[in-house]
Structures are given as structure tokens and as C-alpha cells.
Amino acid sequence: MPVHIVGESRLLRDMFLNICEAHDYETGSCCSSLAELPPLPPKDLVLFYSHCTGAGLEAELRSFRARKGGAHLILVTGDDCPPEAQARLSTYAEAVIPERQSADALIAALQVVQNGYRIVLPEAAAAAAAEAPPRPAVVPRPPARAGHGLSDREQLILAKLTEGATNKSIANELGICEATVKVHLRTCFRKIGAKNRTQAALWASERLPPQTAEPRPH
């Protein structure tokens, strides 16, 4: 299924277009507003960036849902979008992703949504729960155990995935061989329930604290 790219900025649209094509996603329409999108088949993916957080954006999303209810929407917000706004906006989107996330995390979100899941960031889920405790705020996502059991090095390697690092660059930075990085990644995938590096990058971007690189052995 194609990814349709929507955003107010031509530069950001081109960036998203390049990211999707670099990960072998077929791309469709590319326009500045949701209203400009043509009729879409069900389950097409729409990648939409907006720095707005107010009633105008909610109205645009509500109209999109009314016209194209079967399409899957991934909303990328500005970093200043508060958790309360993320919680409201998640009513209209399968995923709400702050722009501070890495390209790998964005592609992971596309894959998760494509597989039939929805994503709500933890802080947005908490805000929604505070506003309406009886309503479930947590939605299905790729399986991961609360006690992940990752070692410090495994956490560091996963954190590098969120920065778009390759196995070779991780190996060079840590002073280990590339084959060892692959072994660590397979162990990480098993522990957190990820199927591939993009799912692992999304998991790490949401659940791991900032990591400090280990000193390289001499």
C-alpha cells in the first residue's frame, strides 16, 4: 500500500518522501493539506506533519476521518505539542509521533500501523487516562515485556538504532566486531519481542533513557 505525504512545508514533504523511498515504500500523493488528498483506498497510509495543536488541526483531522475513514493516518507533531494535545489528536490518528523521533522510529511506526496496530506515546496515554480514567488509553503495539532484562551494552546498541546507526558504525564506536553487534541485536529482539531493527528502534525510542557511549577499549 502506498504512503501519501502531507505537510505545510515543501522541505519536510521532500524529507519524508526521501525517507519512505529509502526504505522501499511506494509513495502516492504529496500535498500541503489533508483536504487536497484524492479519494483513497481503505488502509492506504497517510503521513501528515503539522506544527499546529489547536482546534483548527482537530477540525482538519475530523474532516479527514469523515471523508476517508478507512485510510490509516500517522500524524507527526511539533516537539512543543503537549501530552494533552497528543491524547486528543490520537483519537483521529493510528499513530502520533513527535518530530524529535528518528527516521528509523518513523518507519517503524509505518510498519506497525500497516500491520494493524495503533500507537499512543506513553505520556499521551497517561494524559488521556487522567482525563478519562474509565476509558482504556493503551492500544495494541508490538509485544514487549515490562522487565526487558537488557544489559547496559544491549541498551546502548538499541539506543544507537534510534539514531539510524548501522551495525558497522556501532561496531566501530564500541570497538567490537560487526558480528558481535548482530549477536547483541538478536538477543535484544528476543528480549523485547521485536521482529526487526525498526520495531526495536521504535521500542527503544519510547522506553529507554538517553544512553552514554561506553569508552572504547584500547
Side-chain angles (χ1 to χ4, degrees), residues 39-125:
L40 302 178
K43 298 186 179 179
D44 267 21
L45 299 173
V46 177
L47 179 57
F48 174 42
Y49 171 82
S50 178
H51 69 275
C52 300
T53 60
L57 176 58
E58 288 193 56
E60 185 176 7
L61 294 174
R62 191 179 304 113
S63 176
F64 168 82
R65 276 295 172 222
R67 293 181 294 108
K68 300 176 176 66
H72 291 165
L73 178 66
I74 296 91
L75 172 64
V76 181
T77 66
D79 284 342
D80 58 346
C81 183
E84 299 79 13
Q86 291 180 27
R88 292 197 308 272
L89 297 174
S90 66
T91 305
Y92 307 98
E94 277 67 36
V96 177
I97 308 295
E99 62 182 346
R100 65 177 176 272
Q101 297 285 352
S102 68
D104 273 357
L106 178 61
I107 291 299
L110 286 171
Q111 291 182 342
V112 168
V113 171
Q114 189 176 38
N115 289 335
Y117 290 90
R118 299 184 71 247
I119 300 172
V120 178
L121 295 177
E123 56 267 31

Side-chain angles (χ1 to χ4, degrees), residues 121-205:
L121 295 177
E123 56 267 31
E131 291 181 0
R135 182 178 178 180
V138 179
V139 294
R141 64 178 64 208
R145 292 180 292 180
H148 50 65
L150 297 171
S151 68
D152 290 343
R153 170 159 287 191
E154 289 165 350
Q155 292 185 55
L156 178 58
I157 289 174
L158 283 183
K160 293 300 177 185
L161 290 189
T162 69
E163 300 170 6
T166 63
N167 290 353
K168 184 176 182 179
S169 65
I170 294 172
N172 289 339
E173 182 171 348
L174 299 183
I176 58 180
C177 66
E178 192 171 347
T180 302
V181 174
K182 293 179 180 178
V183 171
H184 281 308
L185 284 175
R186 284 198 295 269
T187 302
C188 291
F189 294 171
R190 175 177 54 79
K191 288 182 178 180
I192 67 175
K195 295 181 179 179
N196 51 50
R197 63 192 295 120
T198 50
Q199 286 188 3
L202 180 62
W203 185 97
S205 67

